[in-house]
Amino acid sequence: MLVDMRKPAEYQAGHLPGAISLPMVDLARRYREIPKAARVILYCQCPLEEMGGVYRFLFDLGYKNHVVLEDGFDGWYRSQYPLAK
């Protein structure tokens, strides 16, 4: 599962194919939408350190199945991988 943590307008402009939109500001309220059983890849358009806080938040809630896309959305875009709208 791909989880796009950017703002809704950024998600609508283009996102990784198959990603769901779960803005970082909504994480505390919506984290239950992230499954604990499937592999989860989190990404945004922010510093890796900021995603570290998201990773830790989920880890502390018992999530052990998630990783952070190291170069985030910008790295994906620069690599010219496909985008969905």
Side-chain angles (χ1 to χ4, degrees), residues 13-61:
H15 54 273
L16 278 61
I20 65 161
S21 176
L22 199 161
M24 199 174 298
V25 297
D26 295 337
L27 180 63
R29 181 174 54 84
R30 293 181 52 198
Y31 71 89
R32 289 177 187 91
E33 295 175 32
I34 300 172
K36 286 187 174 181
R39 178 56 119 184
V40 175
I41 301 171
L42 309 167
Y43 73 92
C44 71
Q45 200 165 7
C46 61
L48 189 56
E49 295 79 20
E50 192 171 342
M51 285 302 291
V54 171
Y55 180 91
R56 174 55 61 188
F57 174 80
L58 291 171
F59 186 85
D60 290 347
L61 290 170

Side-chain angles (χ1 to χ4, degrees), residues 1 7 10-12 17 19 23 25 30-31 40 47-48 52 54 76-77 79 83:
M1 171 182 235
K7 295 176 183 174
E10 294 170 324
Y11 175 85
Q12 291 170 354
V25 297
R30 293 181 52 198
Y31 71 89
V40 175
L48 189 56
V54 171
W76 184 273
Y77 183 78
S79 295
L83 295 176

